[in-house]
Amino acid sequence: MLSLENVSAAYGKFRALDNVSMTVSPGEAVAVIGANGAGKTTLLRAISGMLPVTAGRIIMEGVEISAIPPHHIVEHGIAHVPENRRLFPSLSVESNLRLGSYPRIARSQFAQRLDYVYDIFPRLKERRRQLAGTMSGGEQQMCAIGRALMSNPKLILLDEPSTGLAPVIVAQVFELIRRISEEGYTVLIVEQNVQKVLQVVDRAYLLEAGTIRMSGSADELRKSDDVLKSYMGIA
Ligand code: ATP
């Protein structure tokens, strides 16, 4: 479904992604793990067109998207849930969801998509008139994921969904991710919470200083000495 071929991206002279190649197949949940500053957010920004690539190609379902502006990339079935959720705090939950259905293909299906999102996240329906900024951190993450689902995406990019949440809420957020993956969505998630994310994905890539250091099944990475030592604090 998605492939990155030798992708590099930079902020000025600083090369934040260096020759990154990876694939995500339909229906898979794939994680990119790595420490602070490894380039995880940059990778998602490159895929959704917010940061131009300086080399390589990004291909979604056979179409090269690396040269397409970000507002058109959503039309190719990619929805990005950014770090810190970026909801509109003074708008209601439902208005935030409505903003997710702006792609042309999704607008005509607004009512059906809303029913679908409320069906999988009943809490959002209960709170539909509440201002998004007054929701708990976990509920806001649910709203941000719901907003992404409103565009009827094929691929959902999740940027550190567990950041800033209390441990009990983190567990709920990973449960949400497991659910959307079971719904059949293809998921690419970047996370620092290595232990938790490897419990909900099929495969993972380890990113270090902008390059892929290791890849394999979630099980393989969970058992790797390097991952255990550097990312799970287990010697
Ligand atoms: P974290 O887990 O802390 O969010 P990350 O793996 O997502 O980290 P990125 O945010 O992708 O890392 O950053 C990768 C590198 O690029 C870092 O060294 C960071 O300082 C640098 N960087 C990120 N954004 C910019 C920017 N707008 N201008 C210059 N450098 C940047």
Side-chain angles (χ1 to χ4, degrees):
M1 171 177 278
L2 178 79
S3 62
L4 276 70
E5 297 173 357
N6 308 105
V7 168
S8 297
Y11 297 106
K13 287 202 173 108
F14 175 71
R15 196 185 268 207
L17 291 180
D18 190 7
N19 216 18
V20 169
S21 295
M22 59 184 291
T23 58
V24 182
S25 302
E28 266 194 318
V30 174
V32 176
I33 57 174
N36 274 322
K40 303 182 299 300
T41 296
T42 303
L43 178 75
L44 296 191
R45 297 186 68 220
I47 296 170
S48 56
M50 289 185 276
L51 184 69
V53 305
T54 50
R57 305 196 308 158
I58 303 176
I59 294 161
M60 173 74 179
E61 296 195 309
V63 178
E64 185 175 347
I65 56 168
S66 4
I68 294 178
H71 56 282
H72 285 307
I73 285 188
V74 73
E75 312 273 356
H76 290 268
I78 298 179
H80 189 156
V81 182
E83 201 169 11
N84 300 323
R85 310 175 258 284
R86 303 273 158 80
L87 294 173
F88 290 91
S90 54
L91 293 183
S92 68
V93 166
E94 192 156 300
S95 299
N96 272 279
L97 292 176
R98 183 179 289 275
L99 291 170
S101 66
Y102 71 88
R104 214 176 325 122
I105 34 167
R107 235 174 289 152
S108 59
Q109 301 162 4
F110 170 73
Q112 285 135 283
R113 292 305 294 172
L114 193 64
D115 281 349
Y116 169 76
V117 169
Y118 283 158
D119 206 39
I120 50 172
F121 299 141
R123 174 71 61 94
L124 293 181
K125 188 170 188 181
E126 276 164 45
R127 307 268 165 146
R128 63 186 188 276
R129 296 193 207 295
Q130 188 171 326
L131 300 185
T134 64
M135 305 262 282
S136 74
E139 289 168 346
Q140 289 192 26
Q141 189 63 63
M142 188 183 281
C143 188
I145 294 174
R147 182 179 57 184
L149 295 179
M150 288 297 292
S151 69
N152 201 5
K154 295 175 184 153
L155 172 67
I156 302 174
L157 309 177
L158 288 164
D159 194 351
E160 309 229 9
S162 76
T163 300
L165 301 177
V168 55
I169 310 294
V170 167
Q172 290 169 13
V173 165
F174 282 107
E175 207 35 58
L176 289 181
I177 293 159
R178 193 196 294 277
R179 260 167 55 203
I180 58 170
S181 166
E182 282 169 4
E183 286 279 317
Y185 291 101
T186 308
V187 175
L188 178 63
I189 174 170
V190 310
E191 254 297 336
Q192 275 191 61
N193 194 331
V194 173
Q195 198 149 12
K196 284 274 183 335
V197 78
L198 290 181
Q199 289 168 10
V200 298
V201 296
D202 304 302
R203 284 193 304 118
Y205 292 86
L206 170 61
L207 193 64
E208 265 183 18
T211 59
I212 303 283
R213 259 278 312 280
M214 196 188 297
S215 66
S217 69
D219 227 33
E220 282 163 354
L221 268 87
R222 232 183 348 238
K223 290 179 184 148
S224 126
D225 284 345
D226 279 357
V227 173
L228 284 170
K229 260 190 239 150
S230 312
Y231 300 96
M232 296 192 191
I234 301 166

